[in-house]
Amino acid sequence: EDKVVQSPLSLVVHEGDTVTLNCSYEVTNFRSLLWYKQEKKAPTFLFMLTSSGIEKKSGRLSSILDKKELFSILNITATQTGDSAIYLCAVALNTGTASKLTFGTGTRLQVTL
Amino acid sequence: NAGVMQNPRHLVRRRGQEARLRCSPMKGHSHVYWYRQLPEEGLKFMVYLQKENIIDESGMPKERFSAEFPKEGPSILRIQQVVRGDSAAYFCASSPQRVGQPQHFGDGTRLSIL
């Protein structure tokens, strides 16, 4: 059975701290790994990773994939209270033109003043 | 440039009633996916559709649940004879036909069963 595991489950940090969120996976026929940010409503797309070792960066957020060790990390530097959210990791399988996403349970990040 | 549109945002039903959830994909997207999120759990895949076709319904409960994506109009997720355990947030996502594109999500419908 395909599995995506995120750690830690929850995290409380002070504004300005740097955080690293982890995502490991065991799936057949991997295509890509995606990160989403979920606040009160829609999960918002952050990154899609398909190749090992190539960092994707957007502002204070960055992510990298290791296809040999089957994991990804999401880094957030200089955290702000607006970064408080649930961060979801998902894996897409290589099954034709499109496929379902298998999600982890998420990491709940709280950034305090 | 509207994103994925879901309605209603909140839906309250009594046990035994029917629930209909609607989803209009982003402009230019031909693939629609439905996910369910139970309290304190991750999103679970339910069904993947293209226009007039169900491609993968491996996550749909065998009874009471059905989905469609007609040639005209939104995709509909229908739950018949709802039970308390159907209370959840139901999210719709869409993606374009081009291979390997990310899915973009709507704001979800929060279904509450009394």
Side-chain angles (χ1 to χ4, degrees), chain A residues 3-10 21-24 35-36 38 85-91 102-109, chain B residues 36-44:
Chain A
K3 194 164 59 171
V4 177
V5 178
Q6 292 187 246
S7 64
L9 290 181
S10 66
L21 309 183
N22 304 292
C23 176
S24 64
W35 286 97
Y36 289 86
Q38 186 177 25
I86 298 173
Y87 289 84
L88 299 169
C89 172
V91 171
T102 299
F103 280 87
T105 51
T107 292
R108 185 182 295 272
L109 173 66
Chain B
R36 177 164 62 176
Q37 187 173 38
L38 294 168
E40 305 303 319
E41 291 189 20
L43 283 89
K44 302 286 187 201

Side-chain angles (χ1 to χ4, degrees), chain A residues 15-88:
Chain A
E15 203 171 42
D17 288 351
T18 293
V19 297
T20 298
L21 309 183
N22 304 292
C23 176
S24 64
Y25 61 92
E26 288 179 38
V27 302
T28 52
N29 217 1
F30 173 91
R31 167 180 278 165
S32 58
L33 184 143
L34 297 92
W35 286 97
Y36 289 86
K37 177 183 181 183
Q38 186 177 25
E39 296 171 88
K40 295 262 189 252
K41 25 187 196 180
T44 306
F45 171 72
L46 295 175
F47 298 112
M48 184 169 72
L49 303 149
T50 54
S51 302
S52 265
I54 298 174
E55 186 184 54
K56 293 237 176 163
K57 200 169 169 62
S58 176
R60 297 177 293 103
L61 277 67
S62 63
S63 184
I64 197 160
L65 174 66
D66 185 328
K67 288 168 76 171
K68 185 180 174 189
E69 300 297 329
L70 307 183
F71 78 91
S72 172
I73 59 172
L74 175 68
N75 277 322
I76 309 175
T77 58
T79 52
Q80 301 171 358
T81 54
D83 295 327
S84 297
I86 298 173
Y87 289 84
L88 299 169

Side-chain angles (χ1 to χ4, degrees), chain A residues 31 34 36 38 40-43 45 48 88 96-101 103-105 108, chain B residues 9 31 33 35 37 40 42-43 45 48 50 56 58 91 99-100 102-103 105-107:
Chain A
R31 167 180 278 165
L34 297 92
Y36 289 86
Q38 186 177 25
K40 295 262 189 252
K41 25 187 196 180
F45 171 72
M48 184 169 72
L88 299 169
T97 56
S99 71
K100 65 185 181 185
L101 298 177
F103 280 87
T105 51
R108 185 182 295 272
Chain B
R9 289 291 311 278
H31 299 196
Y33 312 79
Y35 295 84
Q37 187 173 38
E40 305 303 319
L43 283 89
F45 168 78
Y48 156 40
Q50 296 178 26
D56 181 350
S58 57
F91 287 93
V99 173
Q103 296 176 23
F105 284 80
D107 284 345

Side-chain angles (χ1 to χ4, degrees), chain B residues 51-63:
Chain B
K51 283 285 185 184
E52 300 185 282
N53 281 306
I54 295 175
I55 308 301
D56 181 350
E57 56 182 345
S58 57
M60 286 273 271
K62 293 283 183 278
E63 295 177 355

